[in-house]
Amino acid sequence: MTLSYYSIEHAFFVTKGWLRFVKQHKLVAKDWVRVLRPEPRKHHAHFLIEFVKGGREQVPEFNEERYLFKVDLTETDVTYGRLIVPREEVRRHFPAINLPDGNHRVERMRWTDEMGRDWTVKILYADNMVGYMLLDGWEKFVKQHELKAMDVVRFYRPQTTRNPRHALVKCEKRARVSKTGNG
């Protein structure tokens, strides 16, 4: 099977052999396929393909045993299209994100939310920041989940994954206070 990555879409497309793959694995509607980049890679074109039957109906497990850390959102986090994640948390829980001090490279991180939707965000570290900055993909995530300041994003370790840059994320809304003065 031939896969091509289109950076504009932040997605892989199967350009050859898809129908044979579908037949061979008896895939049907609602099954899903995930392309993973293993660490270490044998060569630049080495990827793993994972498929799950009835995938989108399965919700990832979010339990205390798999809890990693949380980020309390600020007005800046939800307004300016980026999230600052504490440096210690990223380095402790995602050692594959290897952005040394003084390096302004960008890497990617993948999330799966409570609805089973996958998200890709860019992650950047710069010396003048107190943490890692999550960029592209964050703004869309905020809009989709209708996040506001003081909401919380919790990070969890997936039960099974072949990608060390993958996390489960759960959003918790703060109690919305009525401004009408009633009650």
Side-chain angles (χ1 to χ4, degrees):
M1 185 162 50
T2 304
L3 297 174
S4 298
Y5 183 75
Y6 292 90
S7 58
I8 293 172
E9 296 290 331
H10 300 292
F12 285 92
F13 290 89
V14 178
T15 54
K16 251 188 195 174
W18 175 248
L19 292 177
R20 189 176 75 210
F21 182 83
V22 167
K23 239 184 220 183
Q24 180 181 358
H25 297 287
K26 299 178 177 132
L27 299 177
V28 296
K30 294 200 177 187
D31 292 347
W32 56 277
V33 175
R34 187 181 289 173
V35 177
L36 305 168
R37 180 179 296 149
E39 295 292 334
R41 293 173 72 186
K42 294 178 182 177
H43 50 78
H44 77 284
H46 179 215
F47 296 94
L48 299 174
I49 297 176
E50 172 183 58
F51 60 91
V52 176
K53 306 298 266 171
R56 289 298 176 221
E57 295 172 4
Q58 298 176 355
V59 176
E61 291 183 15
F62 294 88
N63 59 47
E64 288 307 309
E65 297 164 358
R66 303 199 164 284
Y67 175 75
L68 299 174
F69 63 94
K70 71 176 182 154
V71 176
D72 296 309
L73 301 180
T74 66
E75 189 64 41
T76 304
D77 293 330
V78 296
T79 304
Y80 292 108
R82 58 58 170 172
L83 172 67
I84 302 295
V85 178
R87 174 181 164 174
E88 309 78 45
E89 300 295 0
V90 172
R91 290 189 175 176
R92 180 181 317 132
H93 300 296
F94 305 107
I97 297 174
N98 187 17
L99 296 171
D101 293 348
N103 185 329
H104 297 276
R105 278 188 15 233
V106 174
E107 291 200 21
R108 293 196 182 282
M109 184 174 183
R110 289 177 179 32
W111 296 345
T112 302
D113 67 16
E114 291 176 278
M115 303 305 292
R117 290 177 294 219
D118 290 325
W119 301 84
T120 301
V121 294
K122 287 184 180 176
I123 187 165
L124 166 77
Y125 180 77
D127 291 333
N128 60 341
M129 295 190 303
V130 295
Y132 285 81
M133 186 183 301
L134 303 179
L135 301 165
D136 294 352
W138 171 248
E139 190 169 12
K140 187 174 178 182
F141 184 83
V142 167
K143 286 179 185 174
Q144 178 71 39
H145 291 86
E146 299 177 355
L147 296 174
K148 306 281 185 216
M150 296 173 46
D151 288 345
V152 176
V153 176
R154 295 184 182 276
F155 290 78
Y156 296 82
R157 184 179 69 252
Q159 187 168 343
T160 58
T161 185
R162 292 185 188 113
N163 185 341
R165 293 182 182 97
H166 181 232
L168 302 177
V169 292
K170 180 178 183 179
C171 301
E172 294 179 3
K173 306 284 188 175
R174 68 177 165 95
R176 303 284 192 236
V177 179
S178 172
K179 295 184 178 179
T180 61
N182 299 352

